Amino acid sequence: MSSLLRVREAYARLRAADRPEIWIELREEEDAAAAAAEVDARVAAGESLPLAGLVAAVKDNIDAAGFATTAGSPSFAYRPERDATAVARLRAAGAVVIGKTNLDQFATGLVGTRSPYGAVRNAWDPERISGGSSSGSAVAVALGIVDLALGTDTAGSGRVPAALNGIVGVKPTRGLVPATGVVPACRSLDCVTVFARDLALARRAAELLAGDDGLDPLARRPAEVAARTVDALRARPRVAIPTAPHLTGLAPDWVEAFRAAVAQFAASGVEIVEVDIEPLLAAASLLYEGAFVAERYAAVGTHLEARRDLIGGDLDPSVAQIILGGASRTAVELFQDRERLDRLALQARGALDGCDALLTPTTTWHPTLAEVAADPLGANSRMGRFTNFANLLDLCSLAVPAGSVAGLPFGVMLTADAFHDGVIARIAERLLSPAVDLLVVGAHLTGQPLNAQLVAAGGSFAGSVTTSAEYRLFALDTAPAKPGMLRVRSGGAAIAGELWRLPAAGFARFVDALPSPMAIGRVTLSDGRVVAGFLCEPVAAEGAVDITASGGWRAWLAEASTGRETVSESMA
């Protein structure tokens, strides 16, 4: 779809949705249409714009030129001269920004109701909360008004609203996306996040936003490390889950929904291990109960101090209570809490040692607007049980949909070490994508030179198999050495191989990168199953050595190696 048509569709959906509380400032439709027409013209001229044809929204604590930045507080509003780095990169990739979205004021909250611009209602049930603080961004995506939205996440603000609205929320490694132009909540912990309805799009956008901009002193340069961690993902990923006591207190039927997601991961080839996550939960409590809350006061405390008369109007009382409370924390308390956090981080690493990721529910319940109004602080504190520790412990995290409970979205979350963003995305694909079984017979076998390509695509070993007796195998002249298999009318034999299970998205990437003369076709196994499998173009087998009699690639390699050793010994 052209950018112009997508912008027109976005505004039509916006009007139909009739959710004014999503927006703090909305771009005039004709202005957005003109920007979209420019994108279409650039694409027509041959320019590569990876996000062309997509519409985006930006949380209103992130600067976007042409809009005021309010952070959810009219008295705080200013008009930035330039885009935040993340917004600039979003626009440079071809996305058209149509507005600034509502949020829990000063990004302080996980409920989406702490705003003088109104509580943002859930996309599925308007009687329930949207989750926060990136409330408007999540709901704009969930309702299909925009394709992408930027949020921020300090305690879970980019994950909780994703879960409660049935979409994907990417919280990158801290500092991966520069926070230049972002009103800080806790400057040392804040992350720019991405919402989308599709994991692949969310990840693509997050990758486009990443990279040091030379302006944010906390930005990091992890591209090479991230690439290595994806390549290092084991054939059978090991995923930790909380022990049963740590799942108590979930909403009705949520434990069963989580167990169903765990079972789905296990069926995809993931190894599941229960671990004691108490060190992580203890670390989570430090975010608001410890001295780290002083950083919120450092960010906007003076603004609130000078305007105490606005509390209950322009300034949300719950937000003001939290931020102003940070002023009483001392440097001694902060250093004590940092030492405690260091010790908890060591214990957490020990608990998760040998695991590729931690799988948890994203949050613990989905309250109504009335329930939050009756207990603003208590209701909010329950939301961050599994999210609060991630940024304190320098972890990346990804929230994905995992079905529904009682007609409302249920979501799970994968969390892993810094710079393992690609790893948890590959694991998440196993839940979101149907699996494809692929037969491999050569260089992609376990231990062979190209096996890592299957692992990087999210593949897991599903067992050793043989084909039906209607194939012939040839040693091709390729680098690295690999065989080619052809189905024949007569004179065939059974060929040994392995079955690998890949998520559909990973399978598509793998096939797209497959070089000639290799091909993927339908292969019949000895037990009668028909699966996708490696074949080769017939022309590649012309003049190639027929190695069918060996029964498989590994057997032929062993025979060839023995032959070379015999020749070497005879020459000695």
Side-chain angles (χ1 to χ4, degrees), residues 128 160 163-164 247 249-261 361-367 383 386 404-406 408-412:
R128 293 183 184 268
V160 169
L164 298 188
L247 295 175
L250 294 187
D253 300 324
W254 276 29
V255 171
E256 291 76 11
F258 178 66
R259 295 298 183 198
T362 306
T363 185
T364 62
W365 70 318
H366 192 170
M383 307 299 297
F386 300 114
S404 62
V405 175
L408 293 171
F410 172 75
V412 296

Side-chain angles (χ1 to χ4, degrees), residues 305-328:
E305 288 282 13
R307 295 164 180 81
R308 284 180 176 267
D309 59 312
L310 298 180
I311 296 174
D314 177 299
L315 300 176
D316 181 86
S318 296
V319 172
Q321 180 179 340
I322 293 166
I323 293 175
L324 293 174
S328 64

Side-chain angles (χ1 to χ4, degrees), residues 11-195:
Y11 280 86
R13 290 192 180 189
L14 188 152
R15 288 187 287 270
D18 191 25
R19 292 292 191 92
E21 78 273 13
I22 292 174
W23 308 97
I24 289 181
E25 186 175 353
L26 191 63
R27 193 173 188 174
E28 291 293 334
E29 181 174 351
E30 293 310 313
D31 183 40
E38 290 180 10
V39 171
D40 288 339
R42 291 166 64 190
V43 171
E47 193 170 347
S48 176
L49 300 174
L51 299 183
L54 302 180
V55 171
V58 176
K59 183 178 181 179
D60 200 24
N61 63 336
I62 305 174
D63 289 346
F67 299 91
T69 299
T70 71
S73 169
S75 64
F76 185 80
Y78 63 91
R79 299 197 75 84
E81 296 181 359
R82 59 182 63 87
D83 286 335
T85 297
V87 175
R89 290 174 177 175
L90 198 68
R91 295 205 225 224
V96 176
V97 175
I98 66 167
K100 300 294 290 299
T101 55
N102 201 354
L103 67 154
D104 279 330
Q105 193 171 76
F106 298 119
T108 302
L110 292 174
V111 286
T113 64
R114 298 171 170 179
S115 171
Y117 296 96
V120 179
R121 297 169 290 163
N122 184 260
W124 293 57
D125 180 355
E127 297 299 317
R128 293 183 184 268
I129 67 165
S130 58
S133 63
S134 308
S135 50
S137 289
V139 175
V141 169
L143 292 177
I145 298 170
V146 298
D147 305 291
L148 291 164
L150 298 186
T152 60
D153 188 314
T154 303
S157 296
R159 292 164 284 164
V160 169
L164 298 188
N165 291 282
I167 60 174
V168 174
V170 176
K171 189 212 77 66
T173 294
R174 202 175 65 204
L176 189 59
V177 179
T180 306
V182 176
V183 177
C186 291
R187 189 186 73 90
S188 66
L189 302 177
D190 296 339
C191 293
V192 176
T193 62
V194 177
F195 295 105

Side-chain angles (χ1 to χ4, degrees), residues 104-111 114 132-133 153-157 185-186 189-190 281-297 318-319 321-323 325-326 328-329 337 377 380-385 387-389 392:
D104 279 330
Q105 193 171 76
F106 298 119
T108 302
L110 292 174
V111 286
R114 298 171 170 179
S133 63
D153 188 314
T154 303
S157 296
C186 291
L189 302 177
D190 296 339
L281 300 180
S285 68
L286 291 174
L287 190 61
Y288 283 104
E289 297 173 19
F292 290 99
V293 73
E295 193 166 24
R296 292 186 182 270
Y297 185 88
S318 296
V319 172
Q321 180 179 340
I322 293 166
I323 293 175
S328 64
R329 299 294 182 170
D337 282 349
L377 296 179
N380 186 90
S381 67
R382 291 181 58 183
M383 307 299 297
R385 177 175 177 81
T387 58
N388 283 359
F389 56 75
L392 281 170

Side-chain angles (χ1 to χ4, degrees), residues 543-563:
V545 178
D546 189 326
I547 61 173
T548 306
S550 298
W553 182 240
R554 279 205 187 92
W556 183 80
L557 288 176
E559 292 169 8
S561 176
T562 300

